[in-house]
Amino acid sequence: MLQVIILAAGKGTRMKSKSAKVLHTLCNKPMIEYIIEEALKLTKNVHVILNHQFENVKNIVSKYPVKILKQDLKNFPGTGGALKETSLEEEKILILNGDMPLIQANELKKFLNIDADIVMSVMKLNNPDGYGRVILENNKVKKIVEQKDANEEELKIPYVNAGVYLFKKEILQKYLPKLSNQNAQKEYYLTDIIEMAVNDGLSVKAIEVKEENFKGINSKKDLAKAEEIMCKRIKEYWMKLGVIMRLPDTIFIDAYSSFEGECEIESGCVIKKSVIIESKIKSNSVIEEAIIKNSEIGPIARIRPKSEIIDSKIGNFVEVKASKLNGVKAGHLSYLGDSEIDKGTNIGAGSITCNYDGKNKYKTKIGKNVFIGSDTKLIAPITIEDEVIIGAGSVVNKDVKKGALAISRAPLKIVEKFYYKFFGRKD
Ligand code: UD1
Ligand code: CA
């Protein structure tokens, strides 16, 4: 049986962030979650080692059926130190760094199929900066030298340690107590076990892996690169299932969104935590925590959380928040917040639901087949019943009964020839 140990206790200094490194998100989802999910595909026995921002990280990690442990970072810092507190429970132990969110269970399975005392992973990179270098001798791994401990020659080596290792339990039991912290970072490096094992004549095998699956995140630049890869994976998944994407490189779709039926997403859209069903999202629209079914949204529309839009057409510069729209047309420049709008209703350009009085938020209810003239202000709480007409430019602050016309308009004054009186005649 297999035990997976995920190392996520480090400070992540190079991220230069208030947030713990492993909580930084790729496509809206904390990186540690991706790793845990892949690990759980391999075994039920997953341990996660934490320390830095213990409570914050624990809050996220404890959603999963994993064992959470706290590293003694003060006395035993480093990736080797992280394993001091852990009970080694299975014959084979797979160690994963907590900052490699692109790993996939299928890639990790390759490690399990190799028979050796230690299986490790190597990447050949044009720019090995930040990684530990793998020193080879006669094409065999000799040792790993951390970047901060490497000399000039070693820094030029393109082979790096990807940060995944499969150990036989007795190897860890034997060598963990022997690690020393006599190095540039005064840390107990897990990677030093490799050299000790090689010197003792044990079998150390290396698999060559690709950075697109094993990239380690140390900086915000790394984070951006990894997010690009993750977002591409997500988009390719949905395209395979029939979603049309126009210039997909410009589209952001998070890990929590889903699509049903044939949808089309134009360039520049951002879609987070949403369900899109048989709909077209036109360019540069932003949709968050919404359900959109059989509708057309955008271009340049913003659909905010808790919105449900069915059989509707939402045009440019329309913002919808916490609203249920069913069979509605809102073509231009509107704000529809905390509202419920029923079938056949048309919202004229520039109409606003005034849902906030500075203290509280209130609801707007609009019935079926209502015609809201352009530039209408509906002061919530308010109910507009079915088959109502609201005249353009009205400020409506009372409920309107079925079939009525509501119009509020200051009388229009026309002063003949006033222009010439004011500016003088131009001839
Ligand atoms: C590590 C490897 C390096 C490899 C690289 C791959 C070591 C000594 N070096 O370097 O050879 O090329 O990963 O990405 O292992 N952590 C703890 N406790 C600690 C320190 C770190 O749990 O005391 C965790 C971190 O939270 C992180 C992971 O271990 O998730 C890796 O730590 P990091 O500091 O990023 O190691 P690298 O310098 O990248
Ligand atoms: Ca790292």
Side-chain angles (χ1 to χ4, degrees), residues 7-209:
L7 310 182
K11 286 211 175 82
T13 321
R14 287 166 286 180
M15 283 301 270
K16 297 195 170 53
S17 175
K18 287 192 198 100
S19 162
K21 174 159 79 174
V22 295
L23 295 187
H24 276 275
T25 60
L26 267 64
C27 303
N28 225 5
K29 180 164 161 176
M31 62 170 109
I32 188 75
E33 292 197 30
Y34 288 103
I35 302 169
I36 294 174
E37 285 172 14
E38 294 306 301
L40 285 169
K41 289 181 189 168
L42 300 173
T43 175
K44 282 185 185 144
N45 191 347
V46 177
H47 291 203
V48 186
I49 317 286
L50 307 180
N51 181 301
H52 183 59
Q53 292 200 13
F54 184 79
E55 289 301 324
N56 288 346
V57 185
K58 190 179 151 206
N59 268 342
I60 296 290
V61 171
S62 54
K63 286 198 291 195
Y64 295 94
V66 298
K67 199 162 171 187
I68 297 170
L69 296 143
K70 195 168 182 179
Q71 181 180 353
D72 178 357
L73 212 52
K74 205 162 155 243
N75 294 310
F76 297 107
T79 48
L83 296 173
K84 290 259 182 197
E85 302 295 313
T86 324
S87 57
L88 305 172
E89 294 173 356
E90 310 282 355
E91 283 317 303
K92 292 209 165 178
I93 298 174
L94 185 71
I95 315 267
L96 305 174
N97 282 353
D99 64 354
M100 38 194 326
L102 298 171
I103 50 159
Q104 290 176 290
N106 275 343
E107 289 290 316
L108 298 173
K109 277 185 192 149
K110 292 180 190 162
F111 289 70
L112 309 181
N113 294 332
I114 292 175
D115 186 35
D117 293 310
I118 302 174
V119 185
M120 56 170 286
S121 45
V122 177
M123 304 188 278
K124 190 177 180 200
L125 300 180
N126 291 330
N127 177 11
D129 190 45
Y131 290 100
R133 306 297 198 274
V134 178
I135 316 291
L136 301 170
E137 211 175 64
N138 301 326
N139 234 0
K140 285 202 164 139
V141 176
K142 189 169 171 247
K143 60 175 176 177
I144 297 170
V145 179
E146 289 310 298
Q147 170 148 324
K148 287 191 178 140
D149 298 281
N151 61 36
E152 235 171 88
E153 279 310 300
E154 288 166 338
L155 285 176
K156 287 183 198 149
I157 293 172
Y159 298 103
V160 304
N161 166 30
V164 175
Y165 326 84
L166 181 70
F167 289 102
K168 281 190 180 157
K169 176 161 96 179
E170 57 268 24
I171 302 289
L172 284 177
Q173 283 167 334
K174 181 172 176 195
Y175 292 108
L176 278 175
K178 294 187 179 169
L179 289 178
S180 110
N181 63 349
Q182 298 305 300
N183 52 51
Q185 304 187 78
K186 299 274 173 288
E187 286 185 358
Y188 295 89
Y189 294 159
L190 179 61
T191 45
D192 285 348
I193 291 184
I194 306 293
E195 185 179 14
M196 293 193 261
V198 170
N199 288 344
D200 287 348
L202 297 170
S203 62
V204 176
K205 290 195 180 154
I207 313 188
E208 188 165 343
V209 296

Side-chain angles (χ1 to χ4, degrees), residues 380-393:
I382 192 167
T383 301
I384 311 291
E385 292 186 4
D386 297 346
E387 280 129 28
V388 159
I389 298 177
I390 312 273

Side-chain angles (χ1 to χ4, degrees), residues 316-319 330-336 346-354 372-378 392-394:
N316 45 215
F317 305 108
V318 173
E319 175 178 342
H332 335 263
L333 298 151
S334 282
Y335 172 62
L336 304 171
N346 186 86
I347 309 288
S351 295
I352 308 281
T353 54
C354 308
I372 307 269
S374 297
D375 194 29
T376 293
K377 311 286 171 278
L378 298 163
S394 297

